[in-house]
Amino acid sequence: MNKADTFRALHHHRPPGDPLVLPGPWDAASARVFEEAGFPALATPSAGVAASLGYEDGATPAEEMFAAVKRIVRAVDVPVSADVEGGYGLAPKELVERLLETGAVGCNLEDSHGGVLKDPREHADWLAEVRYAAGDRLFVNARIDTFSRGVADPDRAVERAALYVAAGADCVYPIGAPPAVLPLLRAGIQGPINVGAPVPDGPSPTGLGELGELGATRITFGPGLQRRAAAALREVAAGLR
């Protein structure tokens, strides 16, 4: 079984209270920390990588993002999925080629641009082209931005999810969905669901099992881990003055 197949298998046949927890490394050093802690796979956050490179979220040049992902993949043996935002304007075939060159086994793709939701059918057509170009070599996580763009009706997220799953997405990510609506999303969406969670306050992943019970197949943290690490470093730096 190759790494892409291994990564895909991690998303299936999971008990409801045992979601796949994917920490988000922002550089090679953090990736090694997460691998050493025993996580079976990792998922880079674009905002966390941007911060590590000195950019605002959404402002990282494609070349630098792919290079950062490649360094992370090279540093660990576990599968790595990459958040590549909206695909940087690349044609699906080129996007897939660039991702495979990094060694990533999956990707996270947004369905909004410049704060505006994309037309869901057009985006589904684009995802279908990505799926066709990738075959089984990439696990496609289709982000659904309705909640983060102020559309609170879960039915709108379910409608987009249906289009994206039909287009070949392996997983959907209704970012910003309140925990209370997760059972509704779970009932209406086929396949794995990615849920974003706050970084736990302590060493134990308190509450992550509860998110799994509500409907989360996998859990990611966005840039939360990078920001927490930066806050800890600020405290150390302040103590040195």
Side-chain angles (χ1 to χ4, degrees), residues 48-140:
V49 173
S52 76
L53 297 173
Y55 293 102
E56 295 296 320
D57 184 20
T60 309
E63 292 292 333
E64 294 197 45
M65 183 62 76
F66 287 121
V69 171
K70 188 172 185 177
R71 288 192 293 270
I72 290 168
V73 171
R74 186 177 61 213
V76 296
D77 291 326
V78 297
V80 177
S81 182
D83 182 347
V84 288
E85 303 177 288
Y88 306 111
L90 299 173
K93 185 174 184 295
E94 183 179 359
L95 175 62
V96 167
E97 289 173 351
R98 297 296 301 276
L99 280 163
L100 293 174
E101 286 172 359
T102 70
V105 300
C107 59
N108 189 75
L109 296 166
E110 304 171 1
D111 73 343
S112 64
H113 178 72
V116 178
L117 289 166
K118 296 178 181 178
D119 179 274
R121 295 188 180 278
E122 291 179 3
H123 187 61
D125 289 343
W126 183 80
L127 287 173
E129 293 184 49
V130 172
R131 173 83 285 153
Y132 179 78
D136 291 333
R137 296 176 295 173
L138 289 175
F139 184 97
V140 178

Coordinates of all heavy atoms in Angstrom, one line a residue, residues 48-140:
G48 N -0.6 28.8 8.6 CA 0.5 28.5 9.5 C 1.8 28.5 8.7 O 2.8 29.1 9.1
V49 N 1.8 27.9 7.5 CA 3.0 28.0 6.6 C 3.3 29.4 6.2 O 4.4 29.8 6.2 CB 2.8 27.1 5.4 CG1 3.9 27.2 4.4 CG2 2.6 25.6 5.8
A50 N 2.2 30.2 5.9 CA 2.4 31.6 5.5 C 3.1 32.3 6.6 O 4.1 33.1 6.4 CB 1.1 32.2 5.2
A51 N 2.7 32.1 7.9 CA 3.3 32.9 9.0 C 4.8 32.5 9.1 O 5.6 33.3 9.4 CB 2.5 32.6 10.3
S52 N 5.1 31.2 8.9 CA 6.5 30.7 9.1 C 7.4 31.3 8.0 O 8.6 31.4 8.2 CB 6.5 29.2 9.0 OG 6.4 28.7 7.7
L53 N 6.8 31.7 6.9 CA 7.5 32.3 5.8 C 7.5 33.8 5.7 O 8.1 34.4 4.9 CB 7.0 31.7 4.4 CG 7.1 30.2 4.2 CD1 6.4 29.8 2.9 CD2 8.5 29.8 4.2
G54 N 6.8 34.4 6.7 CA 6.7 35.8 6.8 C 5.6 36.5 6.0 O 5.7 37.7 5.6
Y55 N 4.6 35.7 5.6 CA 3.5 36.3 4.8 C 2.2 36.3 5.6 O 2.0 35.5 6.6 CB 3.3 35.4 3.5 CG 4.4 35.5 2.6 CD1 5.3 34.4 2.5 CD2 4.6 36.6 1.7 CE1 6.4 34.5 1.5 CE2 5.6 36.6 0.8 CZ 6.5 35.6 0.7 OH 7.5 35.6 -0.2
E56 N 1.3 37.2 5.2 CA -0.1 37.1 5.7 C -0.8 35.9 5.1 O -0.4 35.5 4.0 CB -0.8 38.4 5.4 CG -0.2 39.7 6.0 CD -0.3 39.7 7.5 OE1 -1.4 39.2 8.0 OE2 0.6 40.1 8.2
D57 N -1.8 35.5 5.8 CA -2.6 34.4 5.2 C -3.1 34.7 3.9 O -3.7 35.8 3.6 CB -3.8 34.1 6.2 CG -4.6 32.9 5.8 OD1 -4.1 32.1 5.0 OD2 -5.7 32.8 6.2
G58 N -2.9 33.8 2.9 CA -3.4 34.1 1.6 C -2.5 34.8 0.7 O -2.8 35.0 -0.5
A59 N -1.3 35.2 1.2 CA -0.4 36.0 0.4 C 0.9 35.3 0.0 O 1.8 35.8 -0.6 CB 0.0 37.3 1.1
T60 N 1.0 34.0 0.3 CA 2.2 33.2 0.0 C 2.2 32.9 -1.5 O 1.3 32.4 -2.0 CB 2.2 31.9 0.8 OG1 1.9 32.1 2.2 CG2 3.5 31.2 0.6
P61 N 3.3 33.2 -2.1 CA 3.5 32.9 -3.5 C 3.5 31.3 -3.7 O 4.0 30.6 -2.8 CB 4.9 33.4 -3.9 CG 5.1 34.5 -2.9 CD 4.5 34.1 -1.7
A62 N 2.9 30.9 -4.8 CA 2.8 29.4 -5.0 C 4.1 28.7 -4.9 O 4.2 27.7 -4.3 CB 2.1 29.2 -6.4
E63 N 5.1 29.3 -5.5 CA 6.5 28.6 -5.5 C 6.9 28.4 -4.1 O 7.5 27.3 -3.8 CB 7.5 29.5 -6.2 CG 7.2 29.6 -7.7 CD 7.5 28.3 -8.4 OE1 8.3 27.5 -7.9 OE2 6.9 28.1 -9.5
E64 N 6.7 29.4 -3.2 CA 7.2 29.2 -1.8 C 6.3 28.2 -1.0 O 6.8 27.5 -0.2 CB 7.2 30.6 -1.1 CG 8.3 31.5 -1.7 CD 8.6 32.7 -0.8 OE1 8.8 32.5 0.4 OE2 8.6 33.8 -1.3
M65 N 5.0 28.2 -1.3 CA 4.2 27.2 -0.6 C 4.5 25.8 -1.0 O 4.7 24.9 -0.1 CB 2.7 27.5 -0.9 CG 1.7 26.6 -0.2 SD 1.8 26.7 1.6 CE 0.9 28.3 1.8
F66 N 4.7 25.6 -2.3 CA 5.1 24.2 -2.7 C 6.5 23.8 -2.2 O 6.7 22.6 -1.8 CB 5.1 24.1 -4.2 CG 3.7 24.1 -4.9 CD1 3.3 25.1 -5.8 CD2 2.8 23.1 -4.5 CE1 2.1 25.1 -6.3 CE2 1.5 23.1 -5.1 CZ 1.1 24.1 -6.0
A67 N 7.4 24.7 -2.1 CA 8.7 24.4 -1.6 C 8.6 24.1 -0.1 O 9.3 23.2 0.4 CB 9.7 25.6 -1.8
A68 N 7.8 24.8 0.6 CA 7.6 24.6 2.1 C 7.0 23.2 2.3 O 7.4 22.5 3.2 CB 6.8 25.7 2.7
V69 N 6.0 22.9 1.5 CA 5.4 21.6 1.6 C 6.4 20.5 1.3 O 6.4 19.4 2.0 CB 4.2 21.4 0.7 CG1 3.6 20.0 0.6 CG2 3.0 22.4 1.1
K70 N 7.2 20.7 0.3 CA 8.2 19.7 0.0 C 9.2 19.4 1.1 O 9.6 18.3 1.4 CB 9.0 20.1 -1.3 CG 9.9 19.0 -1.8 CD 10.4 19.4 -3.2 CE 11.3 18.3 -3.8 NZ 11.8 18.7 -5.2
R71 N 9.6 20.5 1.8 CA 10.5 20.4 3.0 C 9.8 19.6 4.1 O 10.5 18.7 4.7 CB 10.9 21.7 3.4 CG 11.9 22.4 2.5 CD 12.5 23.6 3.2 NE 11.6 24.7 3.4 CZ 11.3 25.7 2.6 NH1 11.8 25.7 1.4 NH2 10.4 26.6 2.9
I72 N 8.5 19.8 4.3 CA 7.8 19.1 5.4 C 7.7 17.6 5.0 O 8.0 16.8 5.9 CB 6.4 19.8 5.6 CG1 6.6 21.1 6.2 CG2 5.5 18.9 6.4 CD1 5.3 22.0 6.2
V73 N 7.3 17.3 3.8 CA 7.2 15.9 3.4 C 8.5 15.2 3.5 O 8.6 14.1 4.0 CB 6.7 15.9 1.9 CG1 6.8 14.4 1.4 CG2 5.3 16.4 1.8
R74 N 9.6 15.9 3.1 CA 10.9 15.3 3.1 C 11.4 14.9 4.6 O 12.2 14.0 4.8 CB 11.9 16.2 2.5 CG 13.4 15.6 2.3 CD 14.2 16.6 1.6 NE 14.3 17.9 2.3 CZ 14.5 19.1 1.8 NH1 14.4 19.2 0.5 NH2 14.6 20.2 2.5
A75 N 10.9 15.7 5.5 CA 11.3 15.6 6.9 C 10.7 14.4 7.7 O 11.2 14.0 8.7 CB 11.1 16.9 7.7
V76 N 9.6 13.8 7.1 CA 8.9 12.8 7.9 C 8.6 11.6 7.0 O 8.7 11.7 5.7 CB 7.6 13.3 8.4 CG1 7.8 14.4 9.5 CG2 6.7 13.9 7.3
D77 N 8.2 10.5 7.6 CA 7.9 9.3 6.9 C 6.4 9.1 6.8 O 5.9 8.3 5.9 CB 8.5 8.0 7.6 CG 10.0 8.0 7.4 OD1 10.5 8.4 6.4 OD2 10.6 7.5 8.4
V78 N 5.6 9.8 7.6 CA 4.1 9.6 7.5 C 3.5 10.4 6.3 O 4.2 11.4 5.8 CB 3.5 10.1 8.8 CG1 3.9 9.2 10.0 CG2 3.8 11.6 9.1
P79 N 2.3 10.1 5.9 CA 1.7 10.8 4.8 C 1.4 12.3 5.2 O 1.1 12.6 6.3 CB 0.4 10.0 4.5 CG 0.6 8.7 5.1 CD 1.5 8.9 6.3
V80 N 1.5 13.2 4.2 CA 1.3 14.6 4.4 C 0.3 15.1 3.4 O 0.5 14.9 2.2 CB 2.6 15.4 4.3 CG1 2.3 16.9 4.5 CG2 3.6 15.0 5.4
S81 N -0.8 15.7 3.8 CA -1.7 16.4 2.9 C -1.4 17.9 3.0 O -1.0 18.4 4.1 CB -3.1 16.2 3.4 OG -4.0 16.8 2.5
A82 N -1.6 18.6 1.9 CA -1.2 20.0 1.8 C -2.4 21.0 1.6 O -3.2 20.7 0.7 CB -0.1 20.3 0.7
D83 N -2.5 22.0 2.4 CA -3.5 23.0 2.1 C -2.9 24.0 1.1 O -1.9 24.7 1.3 CB -3.8 23.8 3.4 CG -4.8 24.9 3.2 OD1 -5.2 25.2 2.1 OD2 -5.3 25.4 4.3
V84 N -3.4 24.0 -0.1 CA -3.0 24.8 -1.2 C -4.0 25.9 -1.6 O -4.2 26.3 -2.7 CB -2.5 24.0 -2.4 CG1 -1.2 23.3 -2.1 CG2 -3.5 23.0 -2.9
E85 N -4.8 26.3 -0.6 CA -5.7 27.4 -0.7 C -6.7 27.1 -1.9 O -7.3 26.1 -2.0 CB -5.0 28.7 -0.8 CG -4.1 28.9 0.4 CD -3.2 30.1 0.4 OE1 -2.3 30.2 -0.4 OE2 -3.5 31.1 1.2
G86 N -6.7 28.1 -2.8 CA -7.6 27.9 -4.0 C -7.0 27.3 -5.2 O -7.5 27.3 -6.3
G87 N -5.7 26.9 -5.1 CA -5.0 26.3 -6.2 C -4.1 27.3 -7.0 O -3.5 26.9 -8.0
Y88 N -4.0 28.5 -6.5 CA -3.1 29.5 -7.0 C -3.3 29.8 -8.5 O -2.4 30.2 -9.2 CB -1.7 29.1 -6.8 CG -1.4 28.8 -5.3 CD1 -1.2 27.5 -4.9 CD2 -1.4 29.9 -4.4 CE1 -0.9 27.3 -3.5 CE2 -1.2 29.6 -3.0 CZ -1.0 28.3 -2.6 OH -0.8 28.0 -1.3
G89 N -4.5 29.6 -9.0 CA -4.9 29.9 -10.4 C -4.3 28.9 -11.4 O -4.3 29.2 -12.6
L90 N -3.8 27.8 -10.9 CA -3.2 26.8 -11.8 C -4.2 25.9 -12.4 O -5.3 25.7 -11.8 CB -2.2 25.9 -11.0 CG -1.0 26.6 -10.3 CD1 -0.2 25.6 -9.4 CD2 -0.1 27.2 -11.4
A91 N -4.0 25.5 -13.6 CA -4.9 24.5 -14.2 C -4.8 23.2 -13.5 O -3.8 22.9 -12.8 CB -4.4 24.3 -15.7
P92 N -5.9 22.5 -13.4 CA -5.9 21.3 -12.6 C -4.8 20.3 -12.8 O -4.2 19.8 -11.9 CB -7.3 20.6 -13.0 CG -8.1 21.8 -13.3 CD -7.2 22.8 -14.0
K93 N -4.4 20.1 -14.1 CA -3.3 19.2 -14.4 C -2.0 19.7 -13.8 O -1.2 18.9 -13.2 CB -3.1 19.0 -15.9 CG -2.1 17.9 -16.3 CD -2.1 17.7 -17.8 CE -1.2 16.6 -18.2 NZ 0.2 16.9 -18.0
E94 N -1.7 21.0 -13.9 CA -0.5 21.5 -13.4 C -0.5 21.5 -11.9 O 0.5 21.2 -11.2 CB -0.3 23.0 -13.9 CG 1.1 23.6 -13.4 CD 1.3 25.0 -13.9 OE1 0.5 25.5 -14.7 OE2 2.4 25.5 -13.6
L95 N -1.6 21.8 -11.3 CA -1.8 21.8 -9.8 C -1.4 20.4 -9.3 O -0.7 20.3 -8.3 CB -3.2 22.2 -9.4 CG -3.5 22.1 -7.9 CD1 -2.6 23.0 -7.1 CD2 -5.0 22.5 -7.7
V96 N -2.0 19.4 -9.9 CA -1.8 18.0 -9.5 C -0.3 17.7 -9.7 O 0.3 17.1 -8.8 CB -2.6 17.1 -10.3 CG1 -2.2 15.6 -10.1 CG2 -4.1 17.2 -9.9
E97 N 0.3 18.1 -10.8 CA 1.7 17.8 -11.0 C 2.6 18.4 -9.9 O 3.5 17.8 -9.4 CB 2.1 18.3 -12.4 CG 1.6 17.4 -13.5 CD 1.9 18.0 -14.9 OE1 2.4 19.1 -14.9 OE2 1.6 17.3 -15.9
R98 N 2.3 19.7 -9.6 CA 3.1 20.4 -8.6 C 2.9 19.8 -7.2 O 3.9 19.7 -6.5 CB 2.6 21.9 -8.5 CG 2.9 22.7 -9.8 CD 4.3 22.8 -10.2 NE 5.1 23.5 -9.1 CZ 5.2 24.8 -9.0 NH1 4.6 25.6 -9.9 NH2 5.9 25.3 -8.1
L99 N 1.7 19.3 -6.9 CA 1.5 18.7 -5.6 C 2.3 17.3 -5.5 O 2.9 17.0 -4.5 CB 0.0 18.4 -5.4 CG -0.8 19.6 -4.9 CD1 -2.3 19.4 -5.1 CD2 -0.5 19.9 -3.4
L100 N 2.2 16.6 -6.6 CA 2.9 15.3 -6.6 C 4.4 15.5 -6.5 O 5.1 14.6 -5.9 CB 2.5 14.5 -7.8 CG 1.0 14.0 -7.9 CD1 0.7 13.4 -9.2 CD2 0.7 13.0 -6.7
E101 N 4.9 16.5 -7.1 CA 6.3 16.8 -7.0 C 6.8 17.1 -5.6 O 7.9 16.8 -5.2 CB 6.7 18.0 -7.9 CG 6.7 17.7 -9.4 CD 6.8 19.0 -10.2 OE1 6.9 20.1 -9.6 OE2 6.8 18.9 -11.5
T102 N 5.9 17.6 -4.7 CA 6.3 17.8 -3.3 C 6.3 16.5 -2.5 O 6.9 16.5 -1.5 CB 5.3 18.8 -2.7 OG1 4.0 18.1 -2.5 CG2 5.1 20.1 -3.4
G103 N 5.6 15.5 -3.0 CA 5.5 14.3 -2.3 C 4.2 14.2 -1.4 O 4.0 13.2 -0.7
A104 N 3.4 15.2 -1.5 CA 2.1 15.2 -0.7 C 1.2 14.2 -1.3 O 1.2 13.8 -2.5 CB 1.5 16.6 -0.8
V105 N 0.3 13.6 -0.4 CA -0.6 12.6 -0.8 C -2.0 13.1 -0.8 O -3.0 12.4 -1.1 CB -0.5 11.4 0.1 CG1 0.9 10.8 0.1 CG2 -0.9 11.8 1.6
G106 N -2.2 14.4 -0.5 CA -3.6 15.0 -0.5 C -3.5 16.5 -0.5 O -2.4 17.1 -0.5
C107 N -4.7 17.1 -0.7 CA -4.7 18.5 -0.8 C -6.0 19.0 -0.2 O -7.1 18.4 -0.3 CB -4.5 19.0 -2.2 SG -5.8 18.4 -3.4
N108 N -6.0 20.3 0.3 CA -7.2 21.0 0.7 C -7.4 22.1 -0.2 O -6.5 22.9 -0.5 CB -6.9 21.5 2.1 CG -8.1 22.1 2.8 OD1 -8.9 21.4 3.3 ND2 -8.2 23.4 2.9
L109 N -8.6 22.2 -0.8 CA -9.0 23.2 -1.8 C -10.2 24.0 -1.4 O -11.2 23.4 -1.1 CB -9.2 22.5 -3.2 CG -7.9 21.8 -3.7 CD1 -8.3 20.9 -4.9 CD2 -6.9 22.9 -4.2
E110 N -10.1 25.3 -1.4 CA -11.2 26.2 -0.9 C -12.2 26.5 -2.0 O -11.9 26.4 -3.2 CB -10.5 27.6 -0.5 CG -9.5 27.5 0.6 CD -8.7 28.8 0.8 OE1 -9.1 29.8 0.1 OE2 -7.8 28.8 1.6
D111 N -13.4 26.8 -1.6 CA -14.4 27.2 -2.6 C -14.9 28.6 -2.5 O -16.0 29.0 -2.8 CB -15.6 26.2 -2.6 CG -16.5 26.4 -1.4 OD1 -16.1 27.0 -0.4 OD2 -17.7 25.9 -1.4
S112 N -13.9 29.5 -2.1 CA -14.2 30.9 -2.1 C -12.9 31.6 -2.5 O -11.8 31.0 -2.4 CB -14.7 31.5 -0.8 OG -13.7 31.3 0.2
H113 N -13.1 32.8 -3.0 CA -11.9 33.6 -3.4 C -12.1 35.1 -3.1 O -13.2 35.6 -3.5 CB -11.6 33.4 -4.9 CG -10.5 34.2 -5.4 ND1 -9.2 33.9 -5.1 CD2 -10.4 35.3 -6.2 CE1 -8.3 34.8 -5.7 NE2 -9.1 35.6 -6.4
G114 N -11.1 35.7 -2.5 CA -11.3 37.1 -2.1 C -12.5 37.4 -1.2 O -13.1 38.4 -1.3
G115 N -12.8 36.4 -0.4 CA -14.0 36.5 0.5 C -15.3 36.3 -0.1 O -16.3 36.5 0.6
V116 N -15.3 35.8 -1.3 CA -16.6 35.6 -2.0 C -16.7 34.1 -2.4 O -15.8 33.5 -2.9 CB -16.7 36.4 -3.3 CG1 -18.0 36.2 -4.1 CG2 -16.6 37.9 -3.0
L117 N -17.9 33.5 -2.1 CA -18.1 32.1 -2.5 C -18.1 31.9 -4.0 O -18.7 32.7 -4.7 CB -19.4 31.6 -1.9 CG -19.5 31.5 -0.4 CD1 -20.9 31.3 0.0 CD2 -18.7 30.2 0.0
K118 N -17.4 30.8 -4.4 CA -17.4 30.5 -5.9 C -18.8 29.9 -6.2 O -19.5 29.3 -5.4 CB -16.3 29.5 -6.2 CG -14.9 30.1 -5.9 CD -13.8 29.1 -6.2 CE -12.5 29.6 -6.0 NZ -11.4 28.6 -6.2
D119 N -19.1 29.9 -7.5 CA -20.3 29.2 -8.0 C -20.0 27.7 -7.7 O -19.1 27.2 -8.2 CB -20.5 29.5 -9.5 CG -21.7 28.7 -10.0 OD1 -21.5 27.5 -10.4 OD2 -22.8 29.3 -10.1
P120 N -20.9 27.1 -7.0 CA -20.7 25.7 -6.6 C -20.6 24.7 -7.8 O -19.8 23.8 -7.7 CB -21.8 25.3 -5.6 CG -22.9 26.3 -6.0 CD -22.2 27.6 -6.4
R121 N -21.4 24.9 -8.8 CA -21.3 24.0 -9.9 C -20.0 24.2 -10.7 O -19.4 23.2 -11.2 CB -22.6 24.2 -10.8 CG -23.9 23.8 -10.1 CD -25.1 23.7 -11.0 NE -26.3 23.4 -10.2 CZ -26.6 22.1 -9.9 NH1 -25.8 21.1 -10.3 NH2 -27.7 21.8 -9.2
E122 N -19.6 25.4 -10.9 CA -18.4 25.6 -11.6 C -17.2 25.1 -10.8 O -16.3 24.5 -11.4 CB -18.2 27.1 -11.9 CG -19.2 27.7 -12.9 CD -18.9 29.2 -13.1 OE1 -18.0 29.8 -12.5 OE2 -19.7 29.8 -13.9
H123 N -17.3 25.3 -9.5 CA -16.2 24.7 -8.7 C -16.2 23.2 -8.7 O -15.1 22.6 -8.7 CB -16.4 25.2 -7.2 CG -15.2 24.9 -6.3 ND1 -13.9 25.3 -6.6 CD2 -15.1 24.1 -5.2 CE1 -13.1 24.8 -5.6 NE2 -13.8 24.1 -4.8
A124 N -17.4 22.6 -8.7 CA -17.5 21.1 -8.8 C -16.8 20.6 -10.1 O -16.1 19.6 -10.1 CB -18.9 20.7 -8.7
D125 N -17.1 21.4 -11.2 CA -16.5 21.0 -12.5 C -15.0 21.0 -12.4 O -14.3 20.2 -12.9 CB -17.0 21.9 -13.6 CG -18.4 21.7 -13.9 OD1 -19.0 20.6 -13.6 OD2 -19.0 22.5 -14.6
W126 N -14.5 22.1 -11.7 CA -13.0 22.2 -11.5 C -12.4 21.1 -10.7 O -11.4 20.5 -11.0 CB -12.7 23.6 -10.9 CG -11.3 23.9 -10.8 CD1 -10.4 24.3 -11.7 CD2 -10.5 23.8 -9.6 NE1 -9.1 24.5 -11.2 CE2 -9.2 24.2 -9.9 CE3 -10.8 23.5 -8.3 CZ2 -8.1 24.3 -8.9 CZ3 -9.8 23.5 -7.3 CH2 -8.5 23.9 -7.7
L127 N -13.1 20.8 -9.6 CA -12.7 19.7 -8.7 C -12.7 18.3 -9.5 O -11.8 17.5 -9.3 CB -13.6 19.5 -7.5 CG -13.5 20.6 -6.4 CD1 -14.6 20.4 -5.4 CD2 -12.1 20.5 -5.8
A128 N -13.7 18.2 -10.4 CA -13.7 16.9 -11.2 C -12.5 16.8 -12.1 O -11.9 15.8 -12.3 CB -15.0 16.9 -12.0
E129 N -12.0 18.0 -12.6 CA -10.8 18.0 -13.4 C -9.6 17.7 -12.6 O -8.7 17.0 -13.0 CB -10.6 19.3 -14.1 CG -11.7 19.7 -15.2 CD -11.4 21.0 -15.8 OE1 -10.2 21.2 -16.3 OE2 -12.3 21.8 -15.9
V130 N -9.5 18.2 -11.3 CA -8.5 17.8 -10.4 C -8.5 16.3 -10.2 O -7.4 15.7 -10.2 CB -8.6 18.6 -9.1 CG1 -7.6 18.1 -8.1 CG2 -8.4 20.1 -9.4
R131 N -9.7 15.8 -9.9 CA -9.8 14.4 -9.6 C -9.3 13.5 -10.8 O -8.6 12.5 -10.6 CB -11.3 14.0 -9.3 CG -11.6 12.6 -9.2 CD -11.3 12.0 -7.8 NE -9.9 11.8 -7.5 CZ -9.4 11.9 -6.3 NH1 -10.1 12.2 -5.2 NH2 -8.1 11.7 -6.1
Y132 N -9.7 13.9 -12.0 CA -9.3 13.2 -13.2 C -7.8 13.2 -13.4 O -7.2 12.2 -13.7 CB -10.0 13.8 -14.4 CG -9.6 13.1 -15.7 CD1 -10.2 11.9 -16.1 CD2 -8.7 13.7 -16.6 CE1 -9.8 11.3 -17.3 CE2 -8.3 13.1 -17.8 CZ -8.9 11.8 -18.1 OH -8.5 11.2 -19.3
A133 N -7.2 14.4 -13.2 CA -5.7 14.5 -13.3 C -5.0 13.7 -12.3 O -3.9 13.2 -12.5 CB -5.3 16.0 -13.3
A134 N -5.6 13.7 -11.1 CA -4.9 13.0 -9.9 C -5.1 11.5 -9.9 O -4.2 10.8 -9.4 CB -5.3 13.6 -8.6
G135 N -6.2 11.0 -10.4 CA -6.5 9.6 -10.2 C -6.7 9.3 -8.8 O -7.3 10.1 -8.0
D136 N -6.1 8.2 -8.3 CA -6.1 7.9 -6.9 C -4.8 8.4 -6.2 O -4.6 8.0 -5.0 CB -6.2 6.4 -6.7 CG -7.5 5.8 -7.1 OD1 -8.5 6.6 -7.1 OD2 -7.6 4.7 -7.6
R137 N -4.0 9.2 -6.8 CA -2.7 9.6 -6.3 C -2.8 10.7 -5.2 O -1.9 10.9 -4.5 CB -1.8 10.0 -7.4 CG -1.4 8.9 -8.3 CD -0.5 9.4 -9.5 NE -1.2 10.4 -10.3 CZ -0.7 11.1 -11.3 NH1 0.6 10.9 -11.5 NH2 -1.4 11.9 -12.0
L138 N -4.0 11.4 -5.2 CA -4.2 12.4 -4.2 C -5.5 12.3 -3.5 O -6.5 12.0 -4.2 CB -4.1 13.8 -4.9 CG -2.8 14.3 -5.3 CD1 -3.0 15.7 -6.1 CD2 -1.8 14.5 -4.2
F139 N -5.6 12.5 -2.2 CA -6.8 12.6 -1.5 C -7.3 14.0 -1.5 O -6.6 14.9 -1.0 CB -6.5 12.1 0.0 CG -7.7 12.0 0.9 CD1 -8.4 10.8 1.0 CD2 -8.2 13.2 1.5 CE1 -9.5 10.7 1.9 CE2 -9.3 13.1 2.3 CZ -10.0 11.9 2.5
V140 N -8.5 14.3 -2.1 CA -8.9 15.6 -2.3 C -9.9 16.0 -1.2 O -11.0 15.4 -1.0 CB -9.6 15.8 -3.7 CG1 -10.2 17.2 -3.8 CG2 -8.6 15.5 -4.8

